[in-house]
């Protein structure tokens, strides 16, 4: 099969950064689905894994990509709940070959039927950020999805990013008052469209802007951008007994004591890939969460969050998407169609 892969770490400006290869057809294991991929989305984790590959050429090259929608071609001997021809979506497993290919083998426990009323391109934008937002908000930070925390305020730093695009509508559904940060006209408008009650500028001090809204402390803060850059700000703004949700590993050492200790703050780390990476007993929960999100999509309760769709999966298109992830210039999710006839340089 044809795939787009990285032989080693090279900057996106290098023509060899991502290349087309002929890869072996995946062989599904007992719990796997073999999926014909129809659409993929790009996330910052793609660029981070590419950056970790080193300068020594890999054999075989690394196939990246952890957001896909497609059709089941075959099922493993122990798979239940799926059949050939099912239309599915999933984020997959970072320890296995990714979805930037014609076919992918993926653990069935991580998969759900895609929203029936959505296209493959629309569905491919959801899994990784949808799972990250759901797990962070409801499982790590402890927000009640059924509205018991209604009226409490949530600060979302980087509301227009991929995870923010999923987190804002989920928080709205849980009844929270959502304050998102964004700095550009288009990103502020995007946060408004997603349902944020208020949008403030993360390039300016946050406390005066929050106080202008009548908020002196947030029971919940989700920092989806740079952990250390906003460490002192979030420690100041978090309410006593509050929850601080994080998804970006810091590059520097952080002070974990007061005021966070004095406030008895919960520091909640979220890494969507953890369940698959460590084969946790509740690994199947990711498929269940995706099924719940798919139901919300079909009822119109969850918005479509893709903002750009490329008509083919090519090295050039994928490099352009990686550039946007590395520079932080995209908002929402970028998606690429996968078509065997167009999988060409």
């Amino acid at each position: 099969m044809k795939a787009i892969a990285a032989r080693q770490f090279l900057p996106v400006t290098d023509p060899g950064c991502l290349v087309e290869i002929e890869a072996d057809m995946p062989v599904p294991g007992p719990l796997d689905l073999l999926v014909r991929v129809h659409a993929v989305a790009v996330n910052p984790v793609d660029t981070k894994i590419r950056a970790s590959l080193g300068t020594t050429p890999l054999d075989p090259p690394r196939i990246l990509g952890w957001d896909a929608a497609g059709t089941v071609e075959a099922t493993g001997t122990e798979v239940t709940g799926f059949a050939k021809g099912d239309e599915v979506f999933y984020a997959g497993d970072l320890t296995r070959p990714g979805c930037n290919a014609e076919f992918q083998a993926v653990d069935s426990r991580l998969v759900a039927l895609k929203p029936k009323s959505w296209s493959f391109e629309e569905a491919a934008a959801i899994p990784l950020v949808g799972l990250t937002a759901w797990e962070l908000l409801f499982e790590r930070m402890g927000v009640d999805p059924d509205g018991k925390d209604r009226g409490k305020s949530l600060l979302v730093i980087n509301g227009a990013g991929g995870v923010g695009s999923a987190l804002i509508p989920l928080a709205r559904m849980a009844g929270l008052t959502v304050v998102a940060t964004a700095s550009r006209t288009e990103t502020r408008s995007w946060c408004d469209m997603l349902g944020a009650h208020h949008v403030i500028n993360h390039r300016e001090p946050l406390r005066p802007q929050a106080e202008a809204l009548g908020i002196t402390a947030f029971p919940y803060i989700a920092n989806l951008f740079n952990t250390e850059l906003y460490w002192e700000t979030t420690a100041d703004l978090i309410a006593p007994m509050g929850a601080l949700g994080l998804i970006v590993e810091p590059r520097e050492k952080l002070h974990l004591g007061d005021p966070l200790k004095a406030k008895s703050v919960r520091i909640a780390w979220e890494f969507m890939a953890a369940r698959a990476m460590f084969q946790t007993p509740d690994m199947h929960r990711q498929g269940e969460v995706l099924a719940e999100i798919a139901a919300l999509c079909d009822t119109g309760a969850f918005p479509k969050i893709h903002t750009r769709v490329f008509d083919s999966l090519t090295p050039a298109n994928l490099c352009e998407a990686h550039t946007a992830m590395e520079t932080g210039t995209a908002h929402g999710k970028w998606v690429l169609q996968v078509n065997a006839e167009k999988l060409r340089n």
Side-chain angles (χ1 to χ4, degrees), residues 245-257:
L246 304 170
I247 65 170
V248 179
E249 184 174 358
R251 296 183 179 91
E252 303 171 2
K253 292 182 179 179
L254 299 174
H255 176 68
L256 294 177

Side-chain angles (χ1 to χ4, degrees), residues 243-276:
L244 172 59
L246 304 170
I247 65 170
V248 179
E249 184 174 358
R251 296 183 179 91
E252 303 171 2
K253 292 182 179 179
L254 299 174
H255 176 68
L256 294 177
D258 291 339
L260 294 171
K261 177 187 68 67
K263 293 181 179 181
S264 293
V265 169
R266 176 196 297 187
I267 300 174
W269 279 106
E270 161 60 16
F271 185 47
M272 184 283 306
R275 279 174 160 142

Side-chain angles (χ1 to χ4, degrees), residues 217-230:
F218 292 88
Y220 304 108
I221 298 178
N223 181 358
L224 310 178
F225 180 55
N226 183 311
T227 299
E228 59 263 36
L229 180 62
Y230 291 99

